């Protein structure tokens, strides 16, 4: 297995164990590939739920630029909801899992087709 496959397996386990959902492996793989080399960097591979600058980056670079959503309170609410679902006390929230959950939330799986 490649390093990316190992990470996808780890992300799937996170979705199953911490969120209690069965991951869509094809979609999770596409989201992970879409994250590019950031998944291999310890700092860039995670999202800090308590860092507003980081949450703004998720909103601007992923929700607005990648998914094509319009800025507004619904984006902040969705990010907050995903952070809550992933577990506030869970320090390492993987970027690929956060993006996966946000894309699912907005039903934007078609962006990765």
């Amino acid at each position: 297995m490649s390093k990316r496959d190992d990470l996808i397996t780890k992300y799937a386990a996170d979705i199953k164990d911490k969120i209690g959902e069965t991951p869509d492996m094809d979609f999770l793989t596409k989201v992970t590939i879409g994250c590019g080399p950031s998944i291999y960097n310890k700092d860039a591979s995670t999202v800090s739920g308590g860092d507003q600058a980081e949450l703004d980056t998720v909103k601007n670079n992923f929700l607005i630029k990648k998914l094509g959503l319009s800025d507004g309170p619904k984006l902040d609410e969705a990010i907050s909801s995903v952070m809550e679902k992933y577990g506030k006390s869970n320090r390492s929230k993987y970027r690929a899992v956060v993006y996966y959950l946000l894309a699912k939330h907005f039903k934007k799986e078609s962006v990765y087709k």
Side-chain angles (χ1 to χ4, degrees), residues 4-5 7-8 11 25-40 96-97 99-100 112:
R4 184 174 70 202
D5 290 339
L7 289 170
I8 292 168
Y11 301 155
M25 293 306 291
D26 283 345
F27 184 58
L28 179 59
T29 300
K30 289 175 183 174
V31 171
T32 302
I33 291 168
C35 288
S38 69
I39 61 170
Y40 305 110
V97 175
Y99 286 6
Y100 168 91
Y112 288 95

mmCIF file of all heavy atoms in Angstrom, residues 4-5 7-8 11 25-40 96-97 99-100 112:
data_model
loop_
_atom_site.group_PDB
_atom_site.id
_atom_site.type_symbol
_atom_site.label_atom_id
_atom_site.label_comp_id
_atom_site.label_asym_id
_atom_site.label_seq_id
_atom_site.Cartn_x
_atom_site.Cartn_y
_atom_site.Cartn_z
ATOM 1 N N ARG A 4 -0.345 7.258 0.633
ATOM 2 C CA ARG A 4 -1.666 7.873 0.497
ATOM 3 C C ARG A 4 -2.765 6.880 0.875
ATOM 4 O O ARG A 4 -3.727 7.238 1.560
ATOM 5 C CB ARG A 4 -1.884 8.393 -0.925
ATOM 6 C CG ARG A 4 -3.229 9.123 -1.046
ATOM 7 C CD ARG A 4 -3.409 9.768 -2.384
ATOM 8 N NE ARG A 4 -3.591 8.751 -3.400
ATOM 9 C CZ ARG A 4 -3.365 8.927 -4.695
ATOM 10 N NH1 ARG A 4 -2.916 10.071 -5.149
ATOM 11 N NH2 ARG A 4 -3.566 7.965 -5.555
ATOM 12 N N ASP A 5 -2.631 5.625 0.446
ATOM 13 C CA ASP A 5 -3.622 4.603 0.803
ATOM 14 C C ASP A 5 -3.689 4.411 2.314
ATOM 15 O O ASP A 5 -4.771 4.228 2.877
ATOM 16 C CB ASP A 5 -3.298 3.268 0.125
ATOM 17 C CG ASP A 5 -3.518 3.311 -1.386
ATOM 18 O OD1 ASP A 5 -4.281 4.188 -1.852
ATOM 19 O OD2 ASP A 5 -2.932 2.470 -2.087
ATOM 20 N N LEU A 7 -3.040 6.691 4.543
ATOM 21 C CA LEU A 7 -3.720 7.863 5.099
ATOM 22 C C LEU A 7 -5.228 7.775 4.874
ATOM 23 O O LEU A 7 -6.011 8.087 5.773
ATOM 24 C CB LEU A 7 -3.162 9.150 4.478
ATOM 25 C CG LEU A 7 -1.746 9.520 4.916
ATOM 26 C CD1 LEU A 7 -1.206 10.666 4.074
ATOM 27 C CD2 LEU A 7 -1.717 9.893 6.389
ATOM 28 N N ILE A 8 -5.649 7.327 3.693
ATOM 29 C CA ILE A 8 -7.080 7.188 3.404
ATOM 30 C C ILE A 8 -7.710 6.189 4.372
ATOM 31 O O ILE A 8 -8.804 6.423 4.893
ATOM 32 C CB ILE A 8 -7.309 6.787 1.929
ATOM 33 C CG1 ILE A 8 -6.912 7.960 1.015
ATOM 34 C CG2 ILE A 8 -8.756 6.375 1.690
ATOM 35 C CD1 ILE A 8 -6.817 7.620 -0.460
ATOM 36 N N TYR A 11 -8.100 7.983 7.630
ATOM 37 C CA TYR A 11 -9.212 8.932 7.572
ATOM 38 C C TYR A 11 -10.554 8.196 7.677
ATOM 39 O O TYR A 11 -11.472 8.655 8.354
ATOM 40 C CB TYR A 11 -9.176 9.755 6.276
ATOM 41 C CG TYR A 11 -7.913 10.560 6.063
ATOM 42 C CD1 TYR A 11 -7.510 10.907 4.781
ATOM 43 C CD2 TYR A 11 -7.129 10.990 7.128
ATOM 44 C CE1 TYR A 11 -6.361 11.655 4.562
ATOM 45 C CE2 TYR A 11 -5.969 11.732 6.910
ATOM 46 C CZ TYR A 11 -5.597 12.058 5.624
ATOM 47 O OH TYR A 11 -4.465 12.798 5.411
ATOM 48 N N MET A 25 -15.926 5.450 0.448
ATOM 49 C CA MET A 25 -14.490 5.336 0.188
ATOM 50 C C MET A 25 -14.067 5.978 -1.136
ATOM 51 O O MET A 25 -13.011 6.602 -1.206
ATOM 52 C CB MET A 25 -14.044 3.870 0.236
ATOM 53 C CG MET A 25 -14.136 3.252 1.623
ATOM 54 S SD MET A 25 -13.264 4.193 2.908
ATOM 55 C CE MET A 25 -11.571 3.920 2.417
ATOM 56 N N ASP A 26 -14.881 5.851 -2.183
ATOM 57 C CA ASP A 26 -14.537 6.478 -3.464
ATOM 58 C C ASP A 26 -14.458 7.989 -3.301
ATOM 59 O O ASP A 26 -13.520 8.630 -3.775
ATOM 60 C CB ASP A 26 -15.577 6.144 -4.543
ATOM 61 C CG ASP A 26 -15.418 4.735 -5.085
ATOM 62 O OD1 ASP A 26 -14.364 4.127 -4.856
ATOM 63 O OD2 ASP A 26 -16.356 4.261 -5.753
ATOM 64 N N PHE A 27 -15.458 8.546 -2.627
ATOM 65 C CA PHE A 27 -15.493 9.992 -2.442
ATOM 66 C C PHE A 27 -14.366 10.453 -1.523
ATOM 67 O O PHE A 27 -13.696 11.449 -1.802
ATOM 68 C CB PHE A 27 -16.861 10.428 -1.909
ATOM 69 C CG PHE A 27 -17.007 11.912 -1.787
ATOM 70 C CD1 PHE A 27 -16.833 12.733 -2.892
ATOM 71 C CD2 PHE A 27 -17.297 12.510 -0.578
ATOM 72 C CE1 PHE A 27 -16.944 14.110 -2.798
ATOM 73 C CE2 PHE A 27 -17.424 13.874 -0.470
ATOM 74 C CZ PHE A 27 -17.241 14.682 -1.576
ATOM 75 N N LEU A 28 -14.117 9.716 -0.445
ATOM 76 C CA LEU A 28 -13.029 10.056 0.480
ATOM 77 C C LEU A 28 -11.690 10.046 -0.257
ATOM 78 O O LEU A 28 -10.851 10.937 -0.054
ATOM 79 C CB LEU A 28 -13.004 9.093 1.674
ATOM 80 C CG LEU A 28 -11.906 9.325 2.699
ATOM 81 C CD1 LEU A 28 -11.991 10.723 3.310
ATOM 82 C CD2 LEU A 28 -11.976 8.266 3.798
ATOM 83 N N THR A 29 -11.497 9.081 -1.132
ATOM 84 C CA THR A 29 -10.264 9.000 -1.921
ATOM 85 C C THR A 29 -10.116 10.226 -2.815
ATOM 86 O O THR A 29 -9.043 10.837 -2.881
ATOM 87 C CB THR A 29 -10.254 7.703 -2.765
ATOM 88 O OG1 THR A 29 -10.328 6.592 -1.872
ATOM 89 C CG2 THR A 29 -9.000 7.606 -3.613
ATOM 90 N N LYS A 30 -11.207 10.642 -3.466
ATOM 91 C CA LYS A 30 -11.155 11.815 -4.347
ATOM 92 C C LYS A 30 -10.854 13.090 -3.564
ATOM 93 O O LYS A 30 -10.073 13.929 -4.016
ATOM 94 C CB LYS A 30 -12.478 11.958 -5.107
ATOM 95 C CG LYS A 30 -12.669 10.898 -6.161
ATOM 96 C CD LYS A 30 -14.029 10.986 -6.803
ATOM 97 C CE LYS A 30 -14.210 9.854 -7.805
ATOM 98 N NZ LYS A 30 -15.569 9.817 -8.335
ATOM 99 N N VAL A 31 -11.468 13.225 -2.389
ATOM 100 C CA VAL A 31 -11.219 14.411 -1.562
ATOM 101 C C VAL A 31 -9.762 14.421 -1.107
ATOM 102 O O VAL A 31 -9.096 15.456 -1.139
ATOM 103 C CB VAL A 31 -12.174 14.465 -0.346
ATOM 104 C CG1 VAL A 31 -11.770 15.569 0.619
ATOM 105 C CG2 VAL A 31 -13.617 14.671 -0.806
ATOM 106 N N THR A 32 -9.253 13.263 -0.695
ATOM 107 C CA THR A 32 -7.867 13.159 -0.234
ATOM 108 C C THR A 32 -6.903 13.527 -1.355
ATOM 109 O O THR A 32 -5.966 14.305 -1.145
ATOM 110 C CB THR A 32 -7.572 11.733 0.289
ATOM 111 O OG1 THR A 32 -8.495 11.434 1.344
ATOM 112 C CG2 THR A 32 -6.157 11.619 0.806
ATOM 113 N N ILE A 33 -7.140 13.014 -2.551
ATOM 114 C CA ILE A 33 -6.286 13.354 -3.700
ATOM 115 C C ILE A 33 -6.372 14.856 -3.970
ATOM 116 O O ILE A 33 -5.368 15.504 -4.261
ATOM 117 C CB ILE A 33 -6.689 12.528 -4.941
ATOM 118 C CG1 ILE A 33 -6.329 11.061 -4.712
ATOM 119 C CG2 ILE A 33 -6.022 13.064 -6.204
ATOM 120 C CD1 ILE A 33 -6.936 10.101 -5.730
ATOM 121 N N GLY A 34 -7.570 15.425 -3.813
ATOM 122 C CA GLY A 34 -7.779 16.857 -4.028
ATOM 123 C C GLY A 34 -7.015 17.736 -3.048
ATOM 124 O O GLY A 34 -6.731 18.898 -3.334
ATOM 125 N N CYS A 35 -6.677 17.181 -1.890
ATOM 126 C CA CYS A 35 -5.906 17.941 -0.894
ATOM 127 C C CYS A 35 -4.452 18.105 -1.323
ATOM 128 O O CYS A 35 -3.730 18.939 -0.768
ATOM 129 C CB CYS A 35 -5.954 17.255 0.469
ATOM 130 S SG CYS A 35 -7.540 17.384 1.300
ATOM 131 N N GLY A 36 -4.026 17.286 -2.258
ATOM 132 C CA GLY A 36 -2.660 17.395 -2.767
ATOM 133 C C GLY A 36 -1.623 17.016 -1.732
ATOM 134 O O GLY A 36 -1.886 16.234 -0.817
ATOM 135 N N PRO A 37 -0.432 17.605 -1.844
ATOM 136 C CA PRO A 37 0.678 17.221 -0.962
ATOM 137 C C PRO A 37 0.487 17.640 0.497
ATOM 138 O O PRO A 37 1.231 17.194 1.359
ATOM 139 C CB PRO A 37 1.889 17.918 -1.580
ATOM 140 C CG PRO A 37 1.346 18.962 -2.481
ATOM 141 C CD PRO A 37 -0.039 18.555 -2.869
ATOM 142 N N SER A 38 -0.525 18.461 0.783
ATOM 143 C CA SER A 38 -0.719 18.911 2.178
ATOM 144 C C SER A 38 -0.971 17.736 3.126
ATOM 145 O O SER A 38 -0.667 17.836 4.318
ATOM 146 C CB SER A 38 -1.876 19.908 2.273
ATOM 147 O OG SER A 38 -3.112 19.271 2.038
ATOM 148 N N ILE A 39 -1.484 16.615 2.617
ATOM 149 C CA ILE A 39 -1.781 15.484 3.502
ATOM 150 C C ILE A 39 -0.520 14.854 4.083
ATOM 151 O O ILE A 39 -0.589 14.142 5.077
ATOM 152 C CB ILE A 39 -2.639 14.404 2.807
ATOM 153 C CG1 ILE A 39 -1.922 13.811 1.595
ATOM 154 C CG2 ILE A 39 -4.020 14.940 2.455
ATOM 155 C CD1 ILE A 39 -2.594 12.585 0.991
ATOM 156 N N TYR A 40 0.629 15.124 3.469
ATOM 157 C CA TYR A 40 1.891 14.545 3.944
ATOM 158 C C TYR A 40 2.631 15.459 4.918
ATOM 159 O O TYR A 40 3.634 15.064 5.491
ATOM 160 C CB TYR A 40 2.813 14.215 2.760
ATOM 161 C CG TYR A 40 2.152 13.318 1.745
ATOM 162 C CD1 TYR A 40 1.796 13.794 0.496
ATOM 163 C CD2 TYR A 40 1.853 11.988 2.057
ATOM 164 C CE1 TYR A 40 1.170 12.970 -0.436
ATOM 165 C CE2 TYR A 40 1.222 11.164 1.135
ATOM 166 C CZ TYR A 40 0.890 11.654 -0.107
ATOM 167 O OH TYR A 40 0.263 10.840 -1.011
ATOM 168 N N ALA A 96 -8.491 16.292 5.236
ATOM 169 C CA ALA A 96 -9.255 15.528 4.248
ATOM 170 C C ALA A 96 -10.622 15.133 4.805
ATOM 171 O O ALA A 96 -11.620 15.170 4.084
ATOM 172 C CB ALA A 96 -8.476 14.289 3.813
ATOM 173 N N VAL A 97 -10.688 14.784 6.088
ATOM 174 C CA VAL A 97 -11.961 14.398 6.708
ATOM 175 C C VAL A 97 -12.862 15.619 6.842
ATOM 176 O O VAL A 97 -14.061 15.557 6.547
ATOM 177 C CB VAL A 97 -11.739 13.717 8.079
ATOM 178 C CG1 VAL A 97 -13.067 13.442 8.776
ATOM 179 C CG2 VAL A 97 -10.942 12.422 7.915
ATOM 180 N N TYR A 99 -12.829 18.314 4.965
ATOM 181 C CA TYR A 99 -13.283 18.652 3.617
ATOM 182 C C TYR A 99 -14.353 17.664 3.143
ATOM 183 O O TYR A 99 -15.341 18.048 2.517
ATOM 184 C CB TYR A 99 -12.111 18.674 2.634
ATOM 185 C CG TYR A 99 -11.190 19.861 2.757
ATOM 186 C CD1 TYR A 99 -11.330 20.802 3.778
ATOM 187 C CD2 TYR A 99 -10.155 20.052 1.856
ATOM 188 C CE1 TYR A 99 -10.475 21.891 3.880
ATOM 189 C CE2 TYR A 99 -9.296 21.145 1.949
ATOM 190 C CZ TYR A 99 -9.470 22.053 2.972
ATOM 191 O OH TYR A 99 -8.624 23.129 3.069
ATOM 192 N N TYR A 100 -14.142 16.396 3.430
ATOM 193 C CA TYR A 100 -15.111 15.347 3.075
ATOM 194 C C TYR A 100 -16.465 15.658 3.718
ATOM 195 O O TYR A 100 -17.500 15.646 3.049
ATOM 196 C CB TYR A 100 -14.561 13.999 3.550
ATOM 197 C CG TYR A 100 -15.533 12.843 3.524
ATOM 198 C CD1 TYR A 100 -15.645 12.028 2.396
ATOM 199 C CD2 TYR A 100 -16.316 12.529 4.627
ATOM 200 C CE1 TYR A 100 -16.521 10.954 2.373
ATOM 201 C CE2 TYR A 100 -17.191 11.461 4.619
ATOM 202 C CZ TYR A 100 -17.294 10.678 3.484
ATOM 203 O OH TYR A 100 -18.165 9.608 3.463
ATOM 204 N N TYR A 112 -16.125 16.616 -7.324
ATOM 205 C CA TYR A 112 -15.032 15.648 -7.415
ATOM 206 C C TYR A 112 -15.264 14.558 -8.472
ATOM 207 O O TYR A 112 -14.507 13.622 -8.540
ATOM 208 C CB TYR A 112 -14.801 14.996 -6.046
ATOM 209 C CG TYR A 112 -14.159 15.930 -5.070
ATOM 210 C CD1 TYR A 112 -14.920 16.685 -4.170
ATOM 211 C CD2 TYR A 112 -12.783 16.099 -5.049
ATOM 212 C CE1 TYR A 112 -14.318 17.556 -3.276
ATOM 213 C CE2 TYR A 112 -12.173 16.965 -4.172
ATOM 214 C CZ TYR A 112 -12.948 17.694 -3.282
ATOM 215 O OH TYR A 112 -12.345 18.553 -2.408
#
